[in-house]
Amino acid sequence: MLFDKQIILFDQEMADQEMALTTLASQLEKAGLVTSDFTTAIIQREHQFPTGLLTQTMGVAIPHTDADKVIEPQIAFMRLKKPVIFHQMGDNQEIAVQIIFMLALKQGQDQLKMLQKLMALFQDSSAMHHLMTIRSNEELITLMQVAQII
C-alpha cells in the first residue's frame, strides 16, 4: 500500500517551496524508502519541471523524481497551514499550493497511472474539501481508498 508508512503531515508551516519539499522528502529518507540523493533530485526536478496545479478549489503539487532514487514505493502527503508558491505545470505561472502529494514510485508507468488517479481526485471538489478538513492519518487513508488512489 502506498500510504502504509504513513508519511502524512497536517497543517505544516513552511517558509517556501524548498522547505516543504525538503521536509517531506527527508521523512521518506528517514523511513528508508528513498536514497540519500532523493531530496536533492526532487528539488532539482521541481525547478526544471514544475508540478504545481491549480484545481477548482486550491493549488496542489505532485513532486516526483527518477525511479532510481526510490527504494520502496510510497506516497507522502503534506497539508500546509498557509500556502507556499510553486510554479504551475506546463506554463510556469506562480500558484499558491496548500496540498502536496510527493510520489516515490519505482516504475515510470506507475507514476503516470498515479498522476492520472490524482488528477481525477483533484477534479472532485468534495474530496478536495475533505482533504482540507481531515485530522487523522486514518481519515486520509480512507479517502485515498475511496478515491481508488490506493
Side-chain angles (χ1 to χ4, degrees), residues 12 21 24 34 36 39 43 45 63 66 75 92 102 104 107 109 119 126 129 150:
Q12 300 293 299
L21 293 174
L24 207 47
V34 297
S36 61
T39 301
I43 290 168
R45 189 181 190 291
D66 299 328
I75 297 176
N92 216 25
M102 184 173 283
Q107 303 292 326
Q109 66 187 34
M119 295 299 235
S126 174
H129 175 72
I150 55 175

Side-chain angles (χ1 to χ4, degrees), residues 1-126:
M1 187 165 85
L2 293 172
F3 280 94
D4 64 336
K5 301 299 184 210
Q6 298 198 10
I7 308 218
I8 300 169
L9 304 173
F10 294 113
D11 302 325
Q12 300 293 299
E13 290 195 42
M14 299 288 148
D16 56 27
Q17 170 196 57
E18 193 161 320
M19 184 179 182
L21 293 174
T22 299
T23 299
L24 207 47
S26 67
Q27 292 292 315
L28 287 165
E29 187 179 341
K30 285 178 192 171
L33 302 168
V34 297
T35 64
S36 61
D37 52 354
F38 181 86
T39 301
T40 302
I42 209 138
I43 290 168
Q44 288 175 345
R45 189 181 190 291
E46 189 66 31
H47 288 302
Q48 293 174 336
F49 303 103
T51 63
L53 293 168
L54 189 57
T55 72
Q56 297 172 28
T57 53
M58 73 190 71
V60 299
I62 319 166
H64 52 282
T65 193
D66 299 328
D68 67 336
K69 311 284 188 283
V70 177
I71 297 168
E72 185 180 325
Q74 193 72 198
I75 297 176
F77 174 86
M78 178 185 285
R79 180 176 68 207
L80 298 164
K81 197 175 260 191
K82 295 177 188 167
V84 297
I85 298 299
F86 274 70
H87 288 95
Q88 185 154 304
M89 193 182 296
D91 67 12
N92 216 25
Q93 289 184 349
E94 288 187 352
I95 59 170
V97 165
Q98 204 159 0
I99 298 283
I100 301 170
F101 285 93
M102 184 173 283
L103 307 183
L105 302 174
K106 289 197 66 77
Q107 303 292 326
Q109 66 187 34
D110 290 345
Q111 283 191 354
L112 180 59
K113 287 178 188 175
M114 183 54 61
L115 290 170
Q116 291 170 337
K117 288 179 180 183
L118 287 170
M119 295 299 235
L121 173 72
F122 299 156
Q123 293 174 14
D124 182 341
S125 58
S126 174

Side-chain angles (χ1 to χ4, degrees), residues 121 124 127 139-150:
L121 173 72
D124 182 341
E139 281 183 276
L140 177 67
I141 290 169
T142 298
L143 178 62
M144 295 298 101
Q145 289 170 334
V146 168
Q148 299 180 345
I149 303 295
I150 55 175

